[in-house]
């Protein structure tokens, strides 16, 4: 089993990475493979609603979105990390998630269906709960079980060294990793025992008009 951890920070080894690394080490101790996927520093456009993904299965912009879509189907779980920018998720990961989830939906890939997910947030001081709420919305619209910890999944610090001093934050990351591993093992056991996936229904779209 494998979990993809997305670092939505432009800093490859910054505060968000430090939090995700704590989760990754815990997953490894639980026998779960993981990979940290870096968004990097190249610009990421927002979705332009061109529907190219509906035809090709890929976004019209060739960047980290398509790189991620090509490996997401093989992952068993996901953790998306973001720094706080102006009391919200960073612009890069917002554009990334908008396009990833929209392309997956329009193309019928179903890379995320019933796969567990969690959000991890890093901030110097404030804006963490708003960012945490923003990221979780991608999961709950996509039928992804949301993995929780003992506290909201956040760390605080201006530098990676500060984050390493946030003992409660690091403990929250470790518990998140163990809970993710436990859920994945339970899901695997359920599949082996013949527990079927939930019955699916066709989408019904309602517009709020008279």
């Amino acid at each position: 089993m494998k979990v993809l951890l997305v670092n939505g920070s432009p800093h490859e080894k910054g505060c968000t990475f430090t939090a995700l690394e704590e989760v990754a080490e815990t997953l490894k101790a639980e026998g779960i493979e993981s990979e940290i996927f870096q968004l990097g520093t190249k610009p990421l456009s927002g979705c332009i609603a061109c529907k190219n993904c509906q035809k090709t299965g890929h976004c019209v912009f060739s960047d980290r979105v398509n790189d991620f879509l090509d490996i997401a189907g093989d992952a068993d779980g996901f953790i998306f990390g973001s720094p706080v920018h102006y009391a919200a998720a960073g612009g890069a990961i917002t554009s990334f998630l908008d396009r990833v989830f929209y392309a997956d939906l329009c193309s019928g890939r179903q890379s995320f269906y019933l796969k567990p997910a969690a959000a991890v947030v890093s901030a110097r001081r404030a804006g963490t709960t708003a960012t945490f709420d923003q990221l979780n919305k991608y999961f709950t619209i996509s039928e992804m079980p949301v993995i929780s910890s003992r506290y909201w999944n956040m760390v605080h610090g201006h530098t990676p060294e500060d984050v390493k001093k946030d003992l409660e934050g690091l403990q929250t990351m470790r518990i998140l990793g163990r809970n993710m591993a436990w859920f994945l093992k339970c899901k695997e056991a359920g599949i082996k025992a013949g527990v079927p996936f939930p019955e699916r229904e066709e989408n019904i779209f309602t517009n709020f008009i008279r």
Side-chain angles (χ1 to χ4, degrees):
M1 291 180 284
K2 183 175 182 178
V3 176
L4 280 177
L5 300 93
V6 176
N7 180 10
S9 169
H11 301 293
E12 185 176 351
K13 296 292 179 71
C15 296
T16 305
F17 171 84
T18 303
L20 293 175
E21 189 176 41
E22 191 77 9
V23 180
E25 290 177 358
T26 304
L27 288 169
K28 182 179 179 180
E30 293 289 332
I32 305 293
E33 184 183 352
S34 66
E35 174 187 345
I36 296 182
F37 182 92
Q38 306 282 356
L39 287 197
T41 56
K42 292 184 179 180
L44 283 167
S45 171
C47 178
I48 61 172
C50 66
K51 298 293 181 71
N52 180 77
C53 55
Q54 194 173 53
K55 304 171 186 176
T56 67
H58 285 87
C59 183
V60 69
F61 299 115
S62 182
D63 55 21
R64 292 299 275 165
V65 168
N66 286 335
D67 294 339
F68 185 78
L69 285 169
D70 285 340
I71 63 175
D74 294 327
D76 300 288
F78 302 89
I79 297 177
F80 297 91
S82 176
V84 172
H85 291 171
Y86 292 95
I93 195 167
T94 298
S95 294
F96 174 82
L97 290 174
D98 281 355
R99 289 167 53 205
V100 160
F101 278 86
Y102 190 68
D104 183 80
L105 172 67
C106 288
S107 65
R109 285 173 176 265
Q110 295 188 351
S111 300
F112 306 109
Y113 175 61
L114 290 185
K115 293 182 180 179
V120 164
V121 178
S122 168
R124 182 189 67 84
R125 187 171 177 86
T128 49
T129 53
T131 303
F132 186 63
D133 178 61
Q134 178 184 345
L135 295 178
N136 274 286
K137 288 184 172 71
Y138 291 95
F139 317 145
T140 55
I141 199 175
S142 304
E143 296 186 73
M144 302 177 78
V146 178
I147 305 301
S148 61
S149 185
R150 188 176 296 169
Y151 193 76
W152 297 293
N153 308 329
M154 59 184 68
V155 295
H156 289 83
H158 187 57
T159 66
E161 290 71 30
D162 289 339
V163 172
K164 291 176 181 178
K165 296 175 185 177
D166 181 6
L167 299 184
E168 182 176 356
L170 292 180
Q171 182 184 60
T172 301
M173 296 302 111
R174 292 193 299 272
I175 294 171
L176 174 62
R178 294 190 194 105
N179 289 350
M180 173 67 79
W182 180 84
F183 183 93
L184 287 171
K185 293 172 184 178
C186 287
K187 181 181 176 182
E188 182 182 54
I191 292 172
K192 288 181 178 178
V195 178
F197 278 15
E199 179 183 351
R200 303 207 73 181
E201 295 188 17
E202 292 295 325
N203 286 339
I204 300 174
F205 293 105
T206 302
N207 298 313
F208 293 103
I209 59 174
R210 294 184 65 182

